[in-house]
């Protein structure tokens, strides 16, 4: 048997074709290019980066479930027959051809502002016309209307993936969650898989709302983690998701303010937890809740504050990583700082995936994929705790000396705890002030705080500054007050984060305060001193 063809040109062609196949698949993951894309953006709605992320997500869904999902965004549909167009394109693209007719096609017509979900024959039992219409009307519509089409597509895919995962475990599907979701009429208007989807700048379709005084009083910290969690479930069931309720930690409320939630996605958040069995472990001022009969939902974390137990949703974001295409759907990512120190003995290694002992650690029967194992990154055995960049460490006396040396220029001084009291608005203002620091000085001092490293890293990423904070080493009682008094800053026997002071070019304090919630007056005073310096 001849191993190589006689014609060297033919050999080169075989090698080239082989490299093209491998390279095409490799470029799918790393560069967003492929020979047969699952996402076709003929209407040019998404950016290249958005297309790449969505393409990779579609690949991972296929690797996990062997379901072929495609997305087609077109400028217009000839003749306006979206249903017929979607069916023809599904056949032309071969949607579900290699997965036993387990396929789904999402088509968006930009001109007529309509979207359709075309469901393959083998998935019709899981994705009825009513449910497909529900996904479009109650999820995609809100994100597209707000000018966030990528979020609309990706959250729709998350909801589809969750339904597929339920089907794998043999669960019956009831998207209404009738015991808790009060407005079940949202599903009754399904009846089809085509709906109007406007692309604009209207955010009114999201559940996010500010809480009134009654809601803030009801959804407040509770005497036990169990009671707080039950309030949390009731909070998820509301038609309006009130994001500023005090049963959530400050940083959790700040994170929720940037998280748009549609009706369908809110229902999903509740359905993923309601009726599940769980355990709560309490150790000191921290508690962790984990589920014992559901492998999909990650843990919840709680902190005991002055008024009771609060949920730290932001700690969950730092502590866990969602997975697609693996036998497990989530892993402990960095442990959650002080939560890792407190509950780390309960974390178990499930083969480079970290879960919680005693929780539901069933594996999904995912589709085997050689390319997935060869090219795609796998989670590390235990990635390092997300931490802030290395900061210069100084004593309170060193800090006072630096302030004393800055008496020839106006200065803004901030001392803050990066953990529980860190405010997003504080960092937004600090970033704004740092832009002007070429004419003055901005001094930002941070303490170690309560699990502040992960939050500080997130805040510095989100609001980059020219001025890098310095970490003030722990001090003896009274030392901070004594040291700061030498530069005119009054602290007292105790201090509340953040402490802010504005000094003029002569080193005189013109404005100062503690527990500052609005940095604007201080920034304005600082800028006024800079203006007087220039004149």
């Amino acid at each position: 048997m001849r191993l190589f063809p006689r014609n060297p040109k033919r050999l080169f062609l075989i090698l080239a074709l082989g490299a093209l196949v491998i390279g095409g698949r490799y470029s799918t993951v790393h560069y967003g290019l492929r020979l047969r894309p699952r996402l076709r953006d003929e209407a040019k709605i998404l950016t290249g980066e958005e297309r790449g992320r969505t393409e990779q997500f579609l690949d991972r869904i296929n690797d996990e479930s062997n379901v072929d999902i495609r997305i087609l965004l077109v400028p217009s549909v000839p003749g306006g027959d979206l249903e017929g167009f979607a069916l023809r394109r599904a056949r032309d693209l071969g949607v579900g051809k290699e997965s036993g007719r387990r396929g789904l096609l999402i088509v968006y017509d930009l001109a007529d502002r309509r979207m359709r979900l075309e469901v393959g024959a083998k998935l019709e039992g899981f994705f009825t016309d009513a449910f497909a219409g529900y996904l479009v009307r109650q999820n995609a519509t809100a994100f597209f209307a707000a000018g966030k089409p990528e979020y609309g597509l990706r959250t729709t895919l998350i909801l589809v993936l969750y339904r597929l995962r339920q089907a794998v475990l043999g669960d019956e599907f009831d998207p209404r969650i009738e015991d808790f979701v009060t407005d079940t009429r949202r599903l009754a208007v399904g009846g089809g898989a085509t709906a109007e989807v406007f692309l604009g700048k209207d955010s009114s379709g999201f559940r996010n709302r500010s809480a009134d005084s009654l809601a803030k009083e009801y959804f407040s910290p509770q005497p036990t983690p169990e009671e707080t969690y039950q309030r949390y479930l009731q909070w998820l069931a509301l038609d309006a998701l009130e994001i500023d309720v005090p049963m959530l930690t400050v940083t959790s409320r700040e994170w929720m303010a940037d998280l748009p939630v549609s009706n369908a996605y809110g229902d999903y958040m509740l359905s993923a937890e309601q009726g599940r069995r769980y355990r709560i472990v309490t150790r000191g001022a921290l508690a962790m809740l984990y589920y014992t009969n559901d492998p999909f939902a990650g843990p919840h974390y709680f902190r005991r504050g002055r008024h009771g137990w609060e949920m730290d949703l932001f700690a969950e974001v730092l502590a866990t990583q969602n997975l697609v295409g693996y036998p497990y759907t989530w892993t402990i990512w960095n442990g959650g700082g002080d939560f890792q120190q407190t509950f780390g003995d309960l974390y178990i290694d499930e083969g480079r995936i970290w879960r919680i002992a005693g929780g539901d650690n069933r594996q999904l029967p995912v589709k085997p994929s050689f390319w997935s194992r060869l090219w795609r990154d796998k989670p590390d055995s235990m990635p390092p705790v997300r931490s802030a960049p290395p900061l210069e460490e100084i004593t309170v006396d060193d800090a006072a000396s630096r302030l004393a040396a800055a008496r020839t220029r106006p200065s803004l001084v901030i001392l803050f705890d990066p953990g529980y009291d860190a405010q997003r608005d504080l960092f937004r203002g600090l970033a704004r002030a740092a832009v002007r620091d070429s004419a003055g000085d901005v001094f930002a001092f941070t303490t170690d705080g309560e699990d502040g490293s992960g939050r500080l890293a997130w805040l510095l990423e989100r609001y980059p500054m020219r001025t890098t904070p310095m970490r003030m080493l722990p001090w003896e009682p009274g030392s901070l007050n004594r040291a700061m008094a030498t530069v005119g800053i009054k602290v007292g026997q105790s201090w509340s984060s953040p402490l802010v002071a504005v000094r003029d070019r002569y080193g005189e304090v013109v404005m100062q305060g503690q527990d500052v919630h609005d940095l604007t007056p201080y920034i304005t005073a600082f800028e006024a001193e800079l203006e007087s310096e220039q004149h």
Side-chain angles (χ1 to χ4, degrees), residues 496-507:
S496 299
S497 175
L499 183 153
V500 186
V502 178
R503 304 165 72 232
D504 63 18
R505 56 182 164 176
Y506 305 108

Side-chain angles (χ1 to χ4, degrees), residues 235-526:
W235 175 72
L236 287 180
L238 296 176
D239 286 335
L241 196 65
E242 296 161 325
I243 58 178
D244 52 353
V245 291
M247 71 176 180
L248 305 179
T249 62
V250 172
T251 48
S252 298
R253 281 176 258 163
E254 293 171 354
W255 174 71
M256 285 295 300
D258 291 331
L259 183 69
V261 177
S262 67
N263 283 327
Y265 203 82
D267 291 350
Y268 153 71
M269 292 171 65
L270 178 60
S271 67
E273 301 189 32
Q274 172 57 28
R276 304 303 193 266
R277 292 195 299 270
Y278 57 86
R279 293 175 185 163
I280 298 178
V281 180
T282 303
R283 295 178 177 176
L286 301 179
M288 178 177 68
L289 179 152
Y290 59 93
Y291 297 92
T292 60
N293 71 334
D294 188 298
F296 305 143
H300 282 308
Y301 296 120
F302 301 80
R303 295 183 185 275
R304 185 170 58 202
R306 289 183 299 174
H307 304 293
W309 286 92
E310 305 170 354
M311 290 193 70
D312 196 340
L313 300 181
F314 186 69
E316 299 171 25
V317 175
L318 296 178
T320 58
Q321 179 188 24
N322 293 322
L323 303 174
V324 181
Y326 297 94
Y328 293 103
T329 62
W330 61 269
T331 179
I332 298 291
W333 177 238
N334 66 18
D338 53 351
F339 287 100
Q340 179 179 353
Q341 297 172 6
T342 303
F343 302 107
D345 60 308
L346 298 180
Y347 298 163
I348 56 174
D349 186 356
E350 294 283 359
R352 304 187 70 188
I353 302 292
W354 286 79
R355 305 278 287 196
I356 298 174
D360 189 339
N361 295 315
R362 284 177 290 171
Q363 297 186 33
L364 285 173
V366 301
K367 167 189 169 184
S369 171
F370 169 75
W371 296 112
S372 178
R373 292 193 300 269
L374 182 62
W375 295 114
R376 293 187 178 156
D377 297 331
K378 294 183 178 180
D380 294 331
S381 57
M382 177 58 81
V385 174
R386 184 177 187 177
S387 60
L391 303 181
E392 180 183 2
E393 296 183 341
I394 62 174
T395 65
V396 291
D397 292 321
D398 291 335
S401 298
R402 300 207 182 183
L403 294 177
R407 283 181 175 168
T408 60
R409 287 151 50 101
S411 60
L412 175 68
V413 183
I414 298 180
L415 172 62
F416 64 95
D417 178 343
Y420 205 62
D421 294 321
Q423 299 278 340
R424 180 183 52 189
D425 291 340
L426 169 67
F427 270 74
R428 183 186 291 117
L430 191 54
R432 172 188 166 193
V435 173
R436 299 292 303 275
D437 68 359
S438 59
D441 295 299
V442 176
F443 293 94
F445 303 105
T446 174
T447 65
D448 285 332
E450 180 184 2
D451 184 32
S453 183
R455 292 181 176 86
L456 181 59
W458 180 77
L459 289 165
L460 288 175
E461 287 177 7
R462 194 169 185 85
Y463 305 106
M465 303 179 298
R466 294 183 186 178
T467 300
T468 302
M470 292 173 279
R471 178 171 285 115
M472 196 175 289
L473 295 171
W475 58 83
E476 295 294 328
S479 297
L480 179 63
N481 182 46
R482 173 188 52 77
M484 291 296 105
T486 63
V487 290
I489 299 176
K490 299 178 181 179
V491 178
Q493 294 303 312
S494 62
W495 73 286
S496 299
S497 175
L499 183 153
V500 186
V502 178
R503 304 165 72 232
D504 63 18
R505 56 182 164 176
Y506 305 108
E508 297 293 329
V509 176
V510 299
M511 188 176 186
Q512 74 170 53
Q514 298 188 45
D515 193 21
V516 173
H517 295 284
D518 185 5
L519 200 61
T520 303
Y522 296 87
I523 301 296
T524 301
F526 178 55

